Amino acid sequence: MSTTIISLKQEPFSIEKTQQFIKDLDEACQTFNSEAFVLLFQKYEWQEREDYQEVLSLIVSQFKKWNSAPDGITIFERGPFEAQCLFCYIGKQVSGYYWKFHINELDPPFDKTVFTAKMAFNFEYENGQLLEFGVCNKFIDPTKLEALEE
């Protein structure tokens, strides 16, 4: 099993639980905070499963790295993006999220730099029930940020 995939095939979510999980995941992504994902995994009782811990650790390390600036960051835009991914061709849905932010207190000329961080998640469904959830491998480099001039 890939360390970036959680398999629920033995105990798939109900349709209602799947819909709630997608909503909760979106809310966690809106925060740009690793603690939101820890709480998400606790809510779905995934924190105790060792094989699920690898996925959570990956997500948490991404957000901690992005939020590691000494003076913090200021997020000014966030939302979903259309991920172009191989999973789209083998029956999995991919949902991407992006965050645009400034790193606070950078000296000129870097104080105008806009950074974009991205993370994508893949899902496998059957009859509206979640069977697999994971982090898209294309977005697992925590040091990869796109820098744009404002």
Side-chain angles (χ1 to χ4, degrees), residues 106-141:
L106 287 180
D107 293 327
F110 304 109
D111 60 333
K112 301 285 187 207
T113 302
V114 175
F115 294 93
T116 302
K118 293 181 179 179
M119 183 178 285
F121 302 97
N122 56 60
F123 307 87
E124 182 178 342
Y125 300 98
E126 184 174 290
N127 300 321
Q129 295 178 281
L130 184 63
L131 298 179
E132 281 189 357
F133 166 74
V135 178
C136 184
N137 288 325
K138 182 178 180 194
F139 299 96
I140 60 172
D141 181 1

Side-chain angles (χ1 to χ4, degrees), residues 1 5-10 49 51-52 131-133:
M1 175 188 291
I5 299 289
I6 292 174
S7 177
L8 305 167
K9 290 180 180 179
Q10 298 298 325
R49 305 245 343 227
D51 50 337
Y52 295 6
L131 298 179
E132 281 189 357
F133 166 74

Side-chain angles (χ1 to χ4, degrees), residues 20-36:
Q20 185 61 50
F21 175 76
I22 299 303
K23 181 179 178 252
D24 292 342
L25 175 66
D26 183 62
E27 289 174 7
C29 287
Q30 296 298 322
T31 69
F32 200 70
N33 184 319
S34 60
E35 184 61 29

Side-chain angles (χ1 to χ4, degrees), residues 25-129:
L25 175 66
D26 183 62
E27 289 174 7
C29 287
Q30 296 298 322
T31 69
F32 200 70
N33 184 319
S34 60
E35 184 61 29
F37 289 92
V38 171
L39 294 173
L40 176 71
F41 273 54
Q42 288 174 350
K43 179 177 180 175
Y44 289 92
E45 299 178 351
W46 290 354
Q47 76 277 10
E48 302 299 323
R49 305 245 343 227
E50 188 174 319
D51 50 337
Y52 295 6
Q53 284 300 310
E54 294 180 50
V55 174
L56 179 60
S57 294
L58 177 64
I59 294 168
V60 166
S61 70
Q62 294 277 83
F63 283 100
K64 282 187 177 179
K65 185 71 170 180
W66 291 332
N67 283 294
S68 66
D71 294 316
I73 62 171
T74 301
I75 296 174
F76 59 89
E77 187 177 329
R78 68 188 101 210
F81 72 91
E82 190 171 322
Q84 303 297 321
C85 185
L86 178 62
F87 280 119
C88 298
Y89 300 107
I90 60 173
K92 294 192 182 187
Q93 180 181 341
V94 177
S95 295
Y97 294 85
Y98 75 92
W99 302 268
K100 289 186 179 179
F101 58 93
H102 289 283
I103 296 176
N104 299 335
E105 306 300 325
L106 287 180
D107 293 327
F110 304 109
D111 60 333
K112 301 285 187 207
T113 302
V114 175
F115 294 93
T116 302
K118 293 181 179 179
M119 183 178 285
F121 302 97
N122 56 60
F123 307 87
E124 182 178 342
Y125 300 98
E126 184 174 290
N127 300 321
Q129 295 178 281

